[in-house]
Amino acid sequence: QKEVEQDPGPLSVPEGAIVSLNCTYSNSAFQYFMWYRQYSRKGPELLMYTYSSGNKEDGRFTAQVDKSSKYISLFIRDSQPSDSATYLCAMTTGNTPLVFGKGTRLSVIA
Amino acid sequence: GAVVSQHPSWVICKSGTSVKIECRSLDFQATTMFWYRQFPKQSLMLMATSNEGSKATYEQGVEKDKFLINHASLTLSTLTVTSAHPEDSSFYICSAGPGLTSGRAYNEQFFGPGTRLTVL
């Protein structure tokens, strides 16, 4: 079992839809959870950062962490064509290197 | 967030030659820098961690004599791919952060825009 599992998609949604992206993980020691957005041929850009369990909201983006289920989610409300990108989850214990998911490719169709 | 740049953004080289990629932190002191490799439709794979003034720590399976890392200052790290082969063609991304002893090195990384290497 890989440490971090993420469905690679692709995921295609109409403009304005709510998007749900998810990752599962196996290492219960992970404490810090991140979501990165990566446009084609660009480096990752940090979107959301969560410590331990709970929810965090920033504009149209909401990150959820459920440590009991080892499951994290990113929700995008009112999705826009400019949200079309690959979304990577990543996590760390704080003392070990980031472990990334494979990324989910999202297309928002106008 | 902090700004990290990479140069070049894209390079093509012949098999057997060496290529140097620079990673710079533009507005902060990067005690720790990380080098990743990303193949198409794959995730980022950590290659090595470097601390300013120290030798880099390489991940298992990464040849340190092939991928030379130098982190001589708090704003610059370089990755040199020596005797490049077509299978080294990939997207190389660096990230920078505070020192490992800060306890924040892994969860406060800022990524560069990446360098696409194509070896013919």
Side-chain angles (χ1 to χ4, degrees), chain B residues 9-92:
Chain B
S9 57
W10 181 43
V11 58
I12 301 174
C13 70
K14 292 182 179 179
S15 185
T17 61
S18 294
V19 173
K20 180 183 285 188
I21 302 170
E22 291 186 348
C23 176
R24 291 183 184 274
S25 58
L26 300 184
D27 52 2
F28 71 103
Q29 293 185 330
T31 306
T32 306
M33 285 187 170
F34 302 88
W35 286 96
Y36 296 84
R37 182 167 49 184
Q38 187 179 33
F39 291 106
K41 298 185 180 180
Q42 297 294 317
S43 189
L44 278 74
M45 297 301 296
L46 181 65
M47 299 174 67
T49 303
S50 74
N51 278 288
E52 184 265 338
S54 303
K55 288 186 178 180
T57 301
Y58 291 80
E59 295 298 302
Q60 191 172 10
V62 178
E63 300 174 58
K64 62 180 181 181
D65 294 330
K66 180 170 183 61
F67 298 99
L68 301 178
I69 293 173
N70 183 281
H71 190 171
S73 79
L74 287 172
T75 59
L76 174 65
S77 176
T78 60
L79 167 67
T80 301
V81 183
T82 63
S83 187
H85 287 95
E87 57 265 30
D88 298 324
S89 299
S90 187
F91 194 51
Y92 291 87

Side-chain angles (χ1 to χ4, degrees), chain A residues 23-73:
Chain A
C23 288
T24 59
Y25 62 95
S26 58
N27 187 348
S28 59
F30 286 142
Q31 295 282 354
Y32 301 87
F33 304 89
M34 295 82 162
W35 285 95
Y36 290 88
R37 177 173 62 195
Q38 186 177 25
Y39 291 112
S40 182
R41 299 174 185 264
K42 299 292 184 183
E45 169 195 8
L46 181 64
L47 274 180
M48 300 290 284
Y49 171 103
T50 309
Y51 171 70
S52 195
S53 282
N55 294 356
K56 188 171 185 179
E57 187 173 323
D58 184 0
R60 296 185 294 112
F61 299 90
T62 300
Q64 289 185 351
V65 175
D66 181 349
K67 291 190 69 180
S68 63
S69 302
K70 298 190 182 69
Y71 187 87
I72 70 171
S73 301

